[in-house]
Amino acid sequence: MTGRLSRDLDLKPGMRVLDLGSGMGATSVFLAREFGVRVTAADLWVSPDTAADVFASAGVADRIHAIKAEAHALPFARESFDVIVSIDAFEYFGTADSYLPYLVRFLKPGGQLGIATPAMTREVREMGAIPEHIKACVGWEAIAWHTAEWWRFQWDITELVTVTSARVQRDGWRDWLLWARAGREHRPGDADGIGEVLTMLEADRGEYLTFALVTARKR
Ligand SMILES: C[S@@+](CC[C@H](N)C(=O)[O-])C[C@H]1O[C@@H](n2cnc3c(N)ncnc32)[C@H](O)[C@@H]1O
């Protein structure tokens, strides 16, 4: 997913990148290795010590700094970053009207923002209800799974950024299914509810579920 998103971004060695909602750090490692950028990996649920161990074993500890941070109270100076990326995390904190205006203050002028986030092919508001197989798995949380066009409008209308790309990931549903199947193999016991996610994806067959890849540049 990060690989596909990075095609829509202009990443150069030495750039300062914030990986927001970095989790176990796979995106941070990929960006540091592939593009030679310097990454701040910020996450709420995964401890910075755990993430730092991942970065050390991946041999990129010198290029990635892990911190604990809540997405609405980020501990950075204005214009700290060339790029902010967020993979499979923006849906938890980034859908409020006020969030993009808050976040862009941390980007330098001309800086880039890129997200990959679970998406639907149609807005829940337009359908009038969350499809049953999705509601059975995630309940109301699916109202945050907006279409790529929703994100384009939501960001463009602020006039704080210019959206450079807003698309759904090709085969997004299939990739999500493969990821969930791999997760079940590696985490027996279904601690993370992977079984329910698999049931949802198998019922969906790509009708509604995919990922949105959205990038923008600060004006
Ligand atoms: C599904 S995980 C994705 C992690 C990683 N980006 C990846 O692709 O593997 C979502 C992450 O979002 C983070 N997150 C959720 N709410 C957050 C918040 N309010 N502030 C910061 N991080 C948050 C969680 O800590 C979690 O690690």
Side-chain angles (χ1 to χ4, degrees), residues 19-24 26-27 42-46 69-72 87-89 91-93:
D19 179 5
L20 185 56
S22 49
M24 295 297 286
T27 294
D43 198 82
L44 188 60
W45 304 337
V46 175
E70 204 289 314
H72 299 87
I87 307 295
D88 193 10
E91 67 275 14
Y92 295 111
F93 51 74

Side-chain angles (χ1 to χ4, degrees), residues 208-219:
Y208 299 108
L209 296 174
T210 183
F211 267 79
L213 307 177
V214 190
T215 56
R217 204 174 264 282
K218 183 174 177 178
R219 294 195 187 177

Side-chain angles (χ1 to χ4, degrees), residues 77-161:
R78 283 176 177 265
E79 302 184 4
S80 293
F81 298 100
D82 299 292
V83 181
I84 299 176
V85 295
S86 184
I87 307 295
D88 193 10
F90 226 68
E91 67 275 14
Y92 295 111
F93 51 74
T95 56
D97 296 344
S98 54
Y99 193 69
L100 178 89
Y102 166 72
L103 188 61
V104 293
R105 76 187 64 182
F106 301 108
L107 275 179
K108 296 176 185 170
Q112 303 164 82
L113 171 63
I115 67 167
T117 186
M120 299 243 238
T121 51
R122 293 174 62 198
E123 278 296 313
V124 169
R125 181 173 290 270
E126 195 184 291
M127 294 188 282
I130 299 168
E132 282 304 323
H133 63 289
I134 299 173
K135 191 161 71 176
C137 180
V138 294
W140 62 266
E141 286 188 26
I143 58 176
W145 296 358
H146 290 291
T147 61
E149 280 312 306
W150 185 91
W151 287 105
R152 177 191 291 283
F153 183 84
Q154 182 77 3
W155 288 6
D156 257 342
I157 197 72
T158 65
E159 298 185 5
L160 298 171
V161 299

